Amino acid sequence: MRVLVTGGAGYIGSHTVVQLVAAGHEPVVVDSHVNSRPSVLPRLEELTGTRIESHGFDLRDADATSALLGEGGFDAVIHFAGLKAVGESGRSPLEYYDNNLGTTFALLRAMGRHGVGTLVFSSSATVYGEQAPVPYREGHEPLVSSSPYGRSKVMQEQILRDVAATGAVRVALLRYFNPVGAHPSGRIGEDPQGIPNNLMPFIAQVAVGRRERLQVFGGDYPTADGTAERDYIHVEDLAAGHVAALDHLRDHPEIRVREWNLGGGRGTSVLEMVAAFEAASGRPIPYDVVDRRAGDLPAFWADASRAEVELGWRATRTIEQMCADTWRWQSANPQGYPA
Ligand code: NAD
Ligand code: UD1
């Protein structure tokens, strides 16, 4: 399949591009580079041994998006492009709604105009909100979220369901848990701009000496060691989940829209992650336990059985592999990608 990968220069998109090529598909990247570097693209060509067609524009440019899809030959779209920082979304809600909904509108219109009928969408466990029973199951309702970022995902899921109901497009809604890790080559990985919001890149930057100490947000949660538990998933497993979803939609034309959790199905605490990273890197991770971060939940993880039964997919990589691969990327690229 010739697959348009929006946000394909970003963290999850870049890893998925490599796996699409390995699976015999032909990915085409479009990315505005609002949160990525064009220098990832030659590395994708190096890893795949093939030329990767790529386009640098903002998907909200409806004419450019339509012109690209109008070139023809596309069988499907994987839509990663979006802004994703929870805290920033509270400070700039309009920017988040505009970008995340606007890219989806432009894409859906262009897909409709040019007869591209298959879409795989990056959703998030954040759509389960604060009340859903753990483990999270796909059938849970209502979908709610506590941040503008999360609400933009809830809204995009709803818009995609409504458009799918008309028969115009068939959609996989993939709800990611906590993606971490990197390609085992160490050539591509997560490269957050500024101070990392998320745990794994922060730990990695402490280990490599870019930051002094980790702050552990909350030591008084009702968990075994008092720190919060999350369902970390290796980005390579996550990328494989996209290939599985794409193949599944192709093989099951009766599906109009379906949600799948992509998670490992178990919780790991902040301190367990710190210990695993110290072991993988051989570096100490000094930390202070500080107050809880507003909006954080004590513990959640996926019920990942639907993806296993229906897609034949499951996360196989361990916490140790997640840390080892993150460390290989971080230590070889201490400042991330070149500008
Ligand atoms: P990322 O920021 O690394 O990748 C997103 C890419 O989209 C970036 O390269 C960015 O430049 C591009 N982009 C953003 N707006 C664009 C626009 N208007 N036009 C063209 N390109 C645009 O993020 P990621 O971690 O790879 O996440 C990919 C998707 O998965 C996002 O939709 C995100 O919300 C979702 N997601 C991520 C996580 C996570 O923890 N990483 C968890 C759940 C869901
Ligand atoms: C966060 C987002 C979530 C998003 C997900 C994507 C919030 C409230 N939630 O989830 O919507 O889908 O990222 O990856 O931002 N931690 C520390 N110190 C740090 C950073 C994190 O102790 O410096 C802790 C957090 O309190 C949390 C755990 O580590 O318990 C994981 O944090 P993080 O990586 O930010 O992910 P989430 O909070 O699960």
Side-chain angles (χ1 to χ4, degrees), residues 80-98:
F80 292 106
L83 300 176
K84 63 163 186 177
V86 173
E88 185 184 63
S89 78
R91 296 186 292 276
S92 307
L94 270 179
E95 205 186 323
Y96 270 67
Y97 288 122
D98 190 4

Side-chain angles (χ1 to χ4, degrees), residues 10 20 22 24 85 89 91 106 110 140 173 183 186 199 212 214-215 249 289:
L20 285 168
S89 78
R91 296 186 292 276
H140 176 80
L173 300 170
H183 189 273
L199 178 65
E212 271 184 23
L214 172 73
Q215 292 192 320
L249 286 181
V289 178

Side-chain angles (χ1 to χ4, degrees), residues 227-283:
T227 65
E229 294 177 357
R230 292 291 181 275
D231 185 344
Y232 297 96
I233 173 171
H234 197 300
V235 67
E236 289 281 287
D237 282 329
L238 189 57
H242 290 74
V243 179
L246 202 58
D247 291 348
H248 190 79
L249 286 181
R250 181 196 54 205
D251 297 340
H252 293 270
E254 73 283 4
I255 294 178
R256 287 199 166 181
V257 61
R258 188 83 175 143
E259 309 78 13
W260 287 284
N261 285 341
L262 297 184
R266 71 181 191 99
T268 300
S269 76
V270 175
L271 290 182
E272 285 172 326
M273 204 57 147
V274 168
F277 206 93
E278 286 182 328
S281 65
R283 302 277 180 100

Side-chain angles (χ1 to χ4, degrees), residues 11-12 31-32 34-36 58-59 80 84 99 149 153:
Y11 172 45
I12 305 168
D31 201 301
S32 65
V34 62
N35 196 39
S36 57
D58 191 311
L59 283 161
F80 292 106
K84 63 163 186 177
N99 193 75
Y149 161 73
K153 292 291 182 194

Side-chain angles (χ1 to χ4, degrees), residues 129-130 136 221 228-230 293 295-300:
E130 298 183 0
Y136 292 167
Y221 284 108
E229 294 177 357
R230 292 291 181 275
R293 182 171 66 181
D296 276 352
L297 294 173
F300 63 83

